[in-house]
Amino acid sequence: MKNLGLYIHIPFCVKKCDYCDFYSLCHNYELEVEYINALCSHIKAEAHLYKDYNFDTIFIGGGTPSVLNLESFEKLVNCIKKHLKLTQGGEFTIEANPGTLSREKLECYRKNGINRLSIGLQSTSNKELAVLGRIHTFDEFGESYYLARECGFDNISVDIMYGLPNQALDDFKKTLDHVCEFNPEHISAYCLKIEENTPFGKRQDSLSLPSDEEEYEMYMTLCSILNKKGWSQYEISNFSKENRRSNHNLKYWQSEEYIGFGPSAHSFFNGKRYFYSKDIKQYIKQANNGNVVRISEDEEGKTHIDKMDEYVLLKLRLSDGISPAEFEQRFGKSFLSEYPNIEKYIKSDHVSIKNGFYSFTPKGFFVSNYILTDILHF
Ligand code: SF4
């Protein structure tokens, strides 16, 4: 039996944050009930395609899955367990926001087999949280976090952000220090990106954002503090304690296969990539009619070179980097003949070679987009 990852998209939030362009809508109970019914019909209808696979990671993401009522949540989990084969002891994550968690919910998650909680904190400054349009305070995060520990969660990830409006390096250091004091097993740290169709995008010119140099300082501080305090970097934005990497997200970066359900969810199955459109009403209608339309990412149109580039790009997101031997085995070409420009970044300390693997240094990670455009074929 082969392994697969499972992603379920819950496109609801209490309210939209000012920077967010993920596909999610303001939560409403009637739509939630309709959506979960449609999602279950879709999973049931497709289950036969996956009868020869074990799902060893499940990730319920969003949106804010923790806004779901417990009846809906249990209905969804029961449907997954009834129709798909799950690996016993596999990783089962749910994303949650402080301000939407309660003891009852956390106990229900545990009872239903969820063993990893990913909490969106973003900042420990209430001022920054308000600027971002988050619904919670730092204290509410603390309450949710300790409640989760009391309910038995021993694998918690915390999301934070840097490069926020009016944020100085010292402000970010405070967030980092506070988060480290909680001692979560995993920390994800993302640089704020201004997306066009968001409230931030619309008032971009009036946002006082840190300069590129300040963002660089924040990123280097992030890598060095977390490394010193016991979280090792395994991906450009992800850090973990030993054996606490996100197995689900690793599938994306290691070009392994996964199935996504829900509007905007992506899949990679049988060598093909596809996704569903960002339209919950359409998704519900199509799922109820037994015909959810897959939008192909045009694998047929991809050349051998495109596939090599995609592989290199994903592998280089990881601190483990890329093995030229594995590359050659997979594509029948020499890595260095295909990507000769990588050599100059070794001299400039943006890329290092460890045990034969090529990987970005922290300094290289920060400018990886630039370097990738230089070394890849596109
Ligand atoms: S809670 Fe998360 S998904 Fe929802 S709007 Fe905010 S950032 Fe986006």
Side-chain angles (χ1 to χ4, degrees), residues 185-196:
E185 284 68 31
H186 188 280
I187 297 173
S188 300
Y190 298 98
C191 186
L192 173 70
K193 281 215 172 59
I194 305 297
E195 306 287 353
E196 234 175 80

Side-chain angles (χ1 to χ4, degrees), residues 53-119:
Y53 292 85
N54 273 325
F55 287 86
D56 60 340
T57 66
I58 306 174
F59 196 104
I60 304 183
T64 306
S66 52
V67 294
L68 285 183
N69 282 274
L70 289 182
E71 254 172 59
S72 301
F73 166 77
E74 287 199 305
K75 181 166 189 177
L76 172 62
V77 174
N78 289 338
C79 165
I80 294 171
K81 288 181 179 167
K82 183 169 172 195
H83 296 291
L84 304 174
K85 288 192 196 87
L86 309 187
T87 305
Q88 217 178 350
E91 183 183 274
F92 194 169
T93 305
I94 190 166
E95 284 187 321
N97 261 358
T100 59
L101 285 170
S102 62
R103 181 178 290 278
E104 193 195 4
K105 275 190 189 172
L106 288 159
E107 282 173 349
C108 176
Y109 296 163
R110 293 290 300 151
K111 191 182 85 190
N112 283 282
I114 294 205
N115 51 25
R116 186 170 182 274
L117 192 66
S118 172
I119 308 181

Side-chain angles (χ1 to χ4, degrees), residues 66 124-125 152 157 190 219 222-223 232 241 288 331 339 352 358:
S66 52
T124 62
S125 150
S157 178
Y190 298 98
Y219 185 70
L222 166 79
C223 298
S232 60
K241 295 282 181 73
N288 290 340
F331 296 104
Y339 301 99
S352 65
Y358 286 68

Side-chain angles (χ1 to χ4, degrees), residues 79-249:
C79 165
I80 294 171
K81 288 181 179 167
K82 183 169 172 195
H83 296 291
L84 304 174
K85 288 192 196 87
L86 309 187
T87 305
Q88 217 178 350
E91 183 183 274
F92 194 169
T93 305
I94 190 166
E95 284 187 321
N97 261 358
T100 59
L101 285 170
S102 62
R103 181 178 290 278
E104 193 195 4
K105 275 190 189 172
L106 288 159
E107 282 173 349
C108 176
Y109 296 163
R110 293 290 300 151
K111 191 182 85 190
N112 283 282
I114 294 205
N115 51 25
R116 186 170 182 274
L117 192 66
S118 172
I119 308 181
L121 165 63
Q122 316 314 348
S123 167
T124 62
S125 150
N126 288 336
K127 212 165 141 189
E128 288 173 0
L129 289 172
V131 169
L132 292 171
R134 302 286 300 177
I135 56 163
H136 56 88
T137 61
F138 177 37
D139 279 351
E140 283 169 325
F141 163 79
E143 283 161 26
S144 299
Y145 185 93
Y146 289 124
L147 206 50
R149 288 292 197 213
E150 275 174 41
C151 294
F153 280 95
D154 63 0
N155 195 2
I156 298 182
S157 178
V158 177
D159 283 3
I160 54 173
M161 292 172 84
Y162 62 94
L164 307 183
N166 298 310
Q167 190 181 43
L169 178 59
D170 278 347
D171 300 323
F172 179 57
K173 273 190 191 158
K174 277 186 200 147
T175 286
L176 263 181
D177 287 342
H178 287 145
V179 169
C180 290
E181 279 164 25
F182 282 89
N183 207 22
E185 284 68 31
H186 188 280
I187 297 173
S188 300
Y190 298 98
C191 186
L192 173 70
K193 281 215 172 59
I194 305 297
E195 306 287 353
E196 234 175 80
N197 292 318
T198 61
F200 269 12
K202 287 178 189 135
R203 54 177 206 273
Q204 183 163 4
D205 293 342
S206 65
L207 296 173
S208 175
L209 295 167
S211 64
D212 288 351
E213 292 70 28
E214 286 169 312
E215 279 182 3
Y216 174 73
E217 286 305 319
M218 289 181 196
Y219 185 70
M220 295 307 279
T221 303
L222 166 79
C223 298
S224 109
I225 290 189
L226 291 187
N227 192 35
K228 264 187 224 135
K229 294 194 173 183
W231 286 267
S232 60
Q233 181 171 23
Y234 70 100
E235 196 264 349
I236 187 164
S237 308
N238 286 281
F239 304 79
S240 78
K241 295 282 181 73
E242 214 181 325
N243 296 325
R244 296 301 198 173
R245 295 177 174 193
S246 162
N247 293 327
H248 184 80
N249 287 338

